[in-house]
Amino acid sequence: MKKKKIMTTLLAMSAALLLAACGNKESKKDTQKTVGVLQIVQHPSLDAAYEGFKEGLKEGGKNVKFDYQNAQNNQDNLKSMSEKLVKEKADLLLGIATPSAQSLANETQDIPIVITAVTDPVAAKLAKSLKKPGTNVTGTTDMVPIDKQIELLLSIVKDAKTIGIMYNSGEANSKIQADLAEKALKKANVKVKVLTANTTNDVQQVTTSLAKDVDGIYIPTDNTFASAAAVIGEVAKQTKTPIVAGSVEQVETGGLATYGIDYKELGKQTGLMAAKILDGKEKPATTAIESAKNLKLVVNEDMAKALGIDPASIVAPK
């Protein structure tokens, strides 16, 4: 009889443990969220934004399964990938760069969308305002203080007569920044020469041509030029041309300096916002679109030495 009681007790305990294990498994399954990610193209800045986003979600305590799509700068891919992500009914979508964000927003007004690496969400018709988007879209903007970046370039290239600007005219974000840079340079009584490239195949030729006629070059956070940052860096070394770029990653790969955004930190900031939305604590329509919280001076010391510039002489604008 005693043995029978022991066996009955053990069986009951085993059943309880099994049920508990199943319950934990179901609980974990129930709490796991799916996030669909659409990135316009692969390059260090956008890759860093995605990595930071994942860190932000993790820090926000979210158990997430990712469905990552990279359009490789192809508009047809953007549409088909957006359709796929929306059809699979992710709990939240991430658009990395303006074209990706717009493509996702065109496919759904119901699924929450967070964005990053988007310069002007209002001009891109993703939000009605930065403070109160009024749509299913919120996130972070990568608009940087262009005037400060131009101030940095002019402090490096003292007595500059002509400064060049390079970007892809097909990228709305880039044109906004390039126009602001041109305005800042003209205000400083510096002549401006602008050249554009539509593909990465044209970047080397454009950089080489522009470098011959200018004292320094400014490049905004342009996806086409960021993808070819290493090529730009080689030309800069050969022509001894100081280049100030829009982002930290562009400088690390092929520029001289920036006072700008660390895209990994920007992505992390976006991930923390996404975690609150997934928790139901925030809604995109009433969640203000945030700017980068931490801008920093970054100097590529190897590039500085190649150009004969003392890295210590480059200081952040006031």
Side-chain angles (χ1 to χ4, degrees), residues 21-70:
C22 290
N24 288 336
K25 186 176 181 181
E26 287 301 315
S27 176
K28 184 175 181 181
K29 184 178 179 181
D30 290 342
T31 58
Q32 187 178 58
K33 301 290 186 180
T34 299
V35 173
V37 180
L38 183 58
Q39 183 172 322
I40 179 62
V41 70
Q42 186 173 9
H43 66 66
S45 294
L46 301 188
D47 294 346
Y50 178 44
E51 290 304 313
F53 178 75
K54 290 188 289 185
E55 285 188 12
L57 278 174
K58 186 176 181 180
E59 187 173 309
K62 302 309 332 164
N63 176 24
V64 172
K65 176 184 177 183
F66 293 96
D67 186 350
Y68 173 82
Q69 304 288 321
N70 192 312

Side-chain angles (χ1 to χ4, degrees), residues 86 89-93 104-113 135-137 277 283-285:
V86 170
K89 297 182 180 180
D91 296 292
L92 181 138
L93 299 169
L104 290 172
N106 286 338
E107 295 299 327
T108 180
Q109 286 77 53
D110 300 319
I111 301 173
I113 299 172
T135 65
N136 62 321
V137 180
I277 293 170
K283 293 183 179 180

Side-chain angles (χ1 to χ4, degrees), residues 127-140:
K128 295 176 183 178
S129 73
L130 296 180
K131 288 186 178 180
K132 193 174 182 179
T135 65
N136 62 321
V137 180
T138 189
T140 58

Side-chain angles (χ1 to χ4, degrees), residues 166 193 195 202-214 217 225 231-241 243:
M166 305 190 301
K193 182 168 183 177
L195 288 182
D202 301 325
V203 169
Q204 183 173 10
Q205 182 180 349
V206 166
T207 307
T208 302
S209 176
L210 187 60
K212 293 177 182 178
D213 300 326
V214 299
I217 293 175
F225 280 81
V231 173
I232 293 169
E234 289 305 312
V235 175
K237 288 178 181 178
Q238 292 171 10
T239 58
K240 304 295 182 184
T241 307
I243 293 177

